[in-house]
Amino acid sequence: MKFIITLCLILQSFFGFSQLFQPKKAYTRQDTLRGSITPERAWWNLQYYHLSVKVQPSDSTISGNNLITYKVLKPAQVIQIDLQNPMQITKVEQDGQALNYKRDGNAFFVELQKKQLVGKTESIKVFYEGKPRIARRPPWDGGFSWKKDSSGKWFITTSCQGLGASVWWPCKDHMYDEADSMKISITVPKDLQDISNGRLLKVTDNADDTRTFDWFVANPINNYGVNINIGNYVHFSEKYKGLKGDLDCNYYVLPEDLEKAKVQFKQVPMMLKAFEHWFGPYPFYEDGYKLVQVSYLGMEHQSSVTYGNKFANGYLGKDLSGTGWGLKWDFIIVHESGHEWFANNITDKDIADMWIHESFTNYSESLFTEYHFGKEAGAAYVRGCRKLIGNQEPIIGDYEVNESGSGDMYYKGGNMLHTIRQVIDNDEKWRQILVGLNKDFYHQTVDTKQIENYISKKAGINLSKVFDQYLRNTKIPTLEYKVENGGITYRWTTCVDGFNMPIKVENAKGKYQFIHPSTEWKSLKGITELKIDENFYVNVKKG
């Protein structure tokens, strides 16, 4: 998520403030323990979670346990489990035997007594409790949100992207390894419901005036995609006839918003129709699709997309592109659902590569617009978002320290993809690349190079310098030209070494043709003014 431009980035964009001269962030041991594949993580492959949590609104506490099932990849006797302060692990067991453990900040190192044999499947059960961190500005600065609805009933939600799932439950809190499946059991006061990921297995009434909701996720799931939504929900549903058959679509909202939701959520089938066209089948038919009302703006929780956009089109009623097209559809329904393909189906291995989630999903807004309102409408939308680009820091962050890149991963990333589409110059090939990504990396964690290489290979064009320019550099490439001898000379400047992206320019006949600039001067006869195709995200400078 984190798609809104921060106040700092807006100031940079409008007033030219720069972060380029600020010192590089100093990383701590805790950053490394969280962001790297430590030896205590590397030896085991996560297979299954059963997370069981009792939520007690009266004192804002939670307690429970997580059964963690894993496969042994190589011999080791110490396992790292993550849980952030102020939460506490109270006990860890394997085969009923209590284990010793040591805490190092937000990481717990558990000493296993049983010999861990390569190829064997084992489990540990982690018991924990405490007052989880209260979300300060969800979803960007998340945790638990303890709210009440208009009738005074509790309205409780979680959000934890970036911050990490370990802010509220013990897990292997690194993006590279996902549980292959998961059971989620949430106990709440009897007058409330919990809506979590996957499908509802059963509801159990307990003797202490609580109810337990058991959900099952049949597909691999990233940690931050797991969520709790507790409230006085009402429910309606429909079946969407999609590429893999009937998809169950379930909607949960507060009673006073039911009628508005029944109107606004009609955009869900429109979203599914567009995205199955561009990206292939919805990746989680087995778990269904849910849209769940929450007290914050929204988030891409897998098969349990959360919604707080006030049942209005645009982004809280605003068009981020300034073109008018962004008011034709509900930003949260489109953007957060787009993440089902890019973030939940294809997940980055390291948060430094979060552009894989956000650049493609930002571009999905343009593709949705194109599908329903025409190609020029989609192109105008993505071009309109350029004014929100800061160009202050690279899109790719620092690796192995849980650090994402700049917010430009949204609008600059979307414009990079739109530019690559122009270079490929074949809309069907472009669509097949997007579909192919979701097929060939289905339910996988990936890194940037895998995505770069895939697109270059399928396009039949070496795009490595294009990715270097837009992902790892803050400058916009500039096509510099001079009028000389009845034509022009031209070259790329403000670019990475070896940048050679072809670009379309208008020729003397009023049509567009490709030219192939490099960082060396080249000549073109018959043109005395250089007009580029505006769908390329570049600058032009006449010398």
Side-chain angles (χ1 to χ4, degrees):
M1 201 0 216
K2 297 181 183 173
F3 45 76
I4 190 171
I5 297 298
T6 64
L7 177 60
C8 178
L9 188 54
I10 294 174
L11 288 172
Q12 292 166 12
S13 178
F14 283 95
F15 299 107
F17 294 169
S18 176
Q19 299 175 352
L20 295 179
F21 302 105
Q22 295 181 2
K24 187 177 177 68
K25 179 178 176 181
Y27 295 108
T28 67
R29 172 172 167 77
Q30 287 301 306
D31 294 324
T32 300
L33 286 177
R34 172 66 201 288
S36 66
I37 304 173
T38 62
E40 294 80 10
R41 284 171 167 162
W43 66 266
W44 56 286
N45 173 247
L46 176 61
Q47 294 188 327
Y48 174 76
Y49 287 132
H50 180 191
L51 176 64
S52 180
V53 182
K54 183 175 184 179
V55 180
Q56 300 177 156
S58 59
D59 59 1
S60 303
T61 64
I62 64 175
S63 60
N65 61 77
N66 188 20
L67 178 69
I68 303 172
T69 300
Y70 59 91
K71 184 176 182 179
V72 179
L73 302 179
K74 56 185 178 181
Q77 294 299 133
V78 179
I79 188 169
Q80 178 180 338
I81 303 298
D82 305 292
L83 185 66
Q84 297 179 33
N85 279 306
M87 301 300 294
Q88 298 287 333
I89 287 178
T90 58
K91 182 171 60 173
V92 184
E93 293 180 345
Q94 185 162 58
D95 298 337
Q97 180 183 18
L99 303 174
N100 294 325
Y101 55 86
K102 296 178 182 179
R103 182 165 202 166
D104 185 347
N106 295 324
F108 289 77
F109 294 94
V110 182
E111 300 172 7
L112 302 171
Q113 298 302 308
K114 181 180 181 180
K115 188 173 182 180
Q116 305 294 295
L117 300 176
V118 174
K120 291 281 289 185
T121 297
E122 303 286 357
S123 295
I124 62 171
K125 197 168 192 178
V126 181
F127 296 82
Y128 77 110
E129 64 184 22
K131 252 187 187 183
R133 181 184 192 271
I134 294 175
R136 297 165 187 168
R137 185 173 170 257
W140 306 283
D141 192 355
F144 253 77
S145 298
W146 305 88
K147 305 290 185 182
K148 288 190 176 181
D149 65 20
S150 60
S151 66
K153 288 182 177 289
W154 283 105
F155 193 25
I156 303 165
T157 57
T158 59
S159 55
C160 58
Q161 186 181 15
L163 180 63
S166 58
V167 74
W168 67 274
W169 59 285
C171 58
K172 187 180 194 179
D173 204 358
H174 193 285
M175 301 292 287
Y176 88 102
D177 196 7
E178 298 182 347
D180 298 330
S181 60
M182 182 172 186
K183 186 176 180 181
I184 305 167
S185 302
I186 307 299
T187 299
V188 301
K190 67 176 181 180
D191 60 337
L192 301 173
Q193 298 179 60
D194 168 67
I195 312 301
S196 289
N197 314 77
R199 293 188 183 272
L200 184 63
L201 296 178
K202 65 177 180 176
V203 180
T204 304
D205 291 319
N206 304 313
D208 60 351
D209 288 334
T210 63
R211 291 195 292 176
T212 300
F213 291 77
D214 287 316
W215 298 84
F216 183 73
V217 181
N219 290 294
I221 184 168
N222 60 57
N223 289 337
Y224 82 84
V226 177
N227 70 341
I228 289 176
N229 305 290
I230 299 168
N232 181 33
Y233 286 112
V234 292
H235 166 251
F236 63 104
S237 64
E238 63 181 321
K239 287 188 182 295
Y240 174 76
K241 294 191 176 299
L243 294 180
K244 291 178 67 175
D246 286 347
L247 173 63
D248 292 324
C249 298
N250 288 281
Y251 310 114
Y252 296 86
V253 298
L254 298 180
E256 62 265 32
D257 294 318
L258 177 60
E259 296 309 315
K260 288 185 286 187
K262 285 182 175 179
V263 174
Q264 194 71 5
F265 291 3
K266 288 180 180 179
Q267 294 186 39
V268 169
M270 295 176 63
M271 173 276 298
L272 290 165
K273 187 76 171 177
F275 289 166
E276 287 208 328
H277 168 79
W278 284 111
F279 305 143
Y282 174 74
F284 308 107
Y285 269 76
E286 300 84 356
D287 294 321
Y289 171 91
K290 289 191 291 296
L291 199 56
V292 186
Q293 185 178 358
V294 290
S295 58
Y296 60 91
L297 189 58
M299 187 69 194
E300 69 261 25
H301 300 109
Q302 184 174 309
S303 73
S304 181
V305 175
T306 49
Y307 177 89
N309 202 37
K310 301 185 184 303
F311 305 96
N313 282 355
Y315 175 93
L316 292 174
K318 298 177 182 179
D319 175 13
L320 295 176
S321 75
T323 64
W325 293 113
L327 292 177
K328 300 290 186 182
W329 41 269
D330 189 306
F331 183 96
I332 294 300
I333 292 175
V334 171
H335 180 94
E336 301 307 338
S337 299
H339 276 306
E340 292 282 53
W341 285 264
F342 292 98
N344 298 339
N345 184 38
I346 303 172
T347 307
D348 59 50
K349 287 182 177 177
D350 189 300
I351 199 172
D353 289 335
M354 201 167 78
W355 77 272
I356 297 168
H357 297 194
E358 301 300 349
S359 298
F360 283 97
T361 304
N362 172 267
Y363 196 48
S364 79
E365 301 161 26
S366 171
L367 296 176
F368 174 91
T369 305
E370 176 176 336
Y371 185 87
H372 289 290
F373 303 103
K375 185 174 181 179
E376 177 50 33
Y381 177 85
V382 72
R383 296 194 306 263
C385 289
R386 289 174 184 171
K387 65 182 182 294
L388 300 172
I389 299 171
N391 282 316
Q392 300 297 315
E393 292 183 340
I395 286 175
I396 291 181
D398 294 327
Y399 290 96
E400 297 187 348
V401 286
N402 195 49
E403 183 74 8
S404 63
S406 78
D408 279 348
M409 69 180 76
Y410 296 86
Y411 306 107
K412 185 177 180 179
N415 272 278
M416 174 191 72
L417 294 173
H418 189 60
T419 297
I420 289 172
R421 178 182 180 181
Q422 313 313 310
V423 173
I424 293 172
D425 197 34
N426 182 321
D427 287 346
E428 181 56 25
K429 179 181 282 189
W430 176 241
R431 186 176 79 90
Q432 290 303 324
I433 288 173
L434 298 176
V435 171
L437 283 167
N438 280 279
K439 179 181 178 182
D440 293 342
F441 296 113
Y442 184 71
H443 292 175
Q444 292 182 35
T445 61
V446 300
D447 60 33
T448 287
K449 280 300 181 184
Q450 286 177 277
I451 300 300
E452 290 184 23
N453 293 340
Y454 185 93
I455 295 175
S456 288
K457 180 180 178 180
K458 296 298 182 181
I461 304 169
N462 184 351
L463 296 164
S464 60
K465 294 297 181 180
V466 177
F467 285 113
D468 283 345
Q469 180 70 40
Y470 290 102
L471 294 178
R472 301 175 178 90
N473 191 284
T474 60
K475 294 182 175 64
I476 306 172
T478 298
L479 189 59
E480 181 182 12
Y481 75 101
K482 301 175 184 178
V483 179
E484 296 179 333
N485 303 320
I488 62 169
T489 57
Y490 58 92
R491 67 175 180 179
W492 285 121
T493 63
T494 65
C495 58
V496 298
D497 291 343
F499 187 70
N500 60 352
M501 183 178 76
I503 188 171
K504 281 184 178 180
V505 300
E506 190 174 30
N507 60 30
K509 299 178 182 179
K511 296 182 180 180
Y512 284 92
Q513 69 179 65
F514 271 108
I515 61 173
H516 296 268
S518 69
T519 54
E520 303 295 327
W521 289 104
K522 294 184 177 183
S523 298
L524 182 65
K525 299 295 183 181
I527 295 179
T528 57
E529 192 66 33
L530 192 64
K531 182 180 179 182
I532 65 165
D533 183 338
E534 63 183 344
N535 288 305
F536 289 79
Y537 179 49
V538 300
N539 284 331
V540 178
K541 178 184 176 182
K542 185 176 182 180

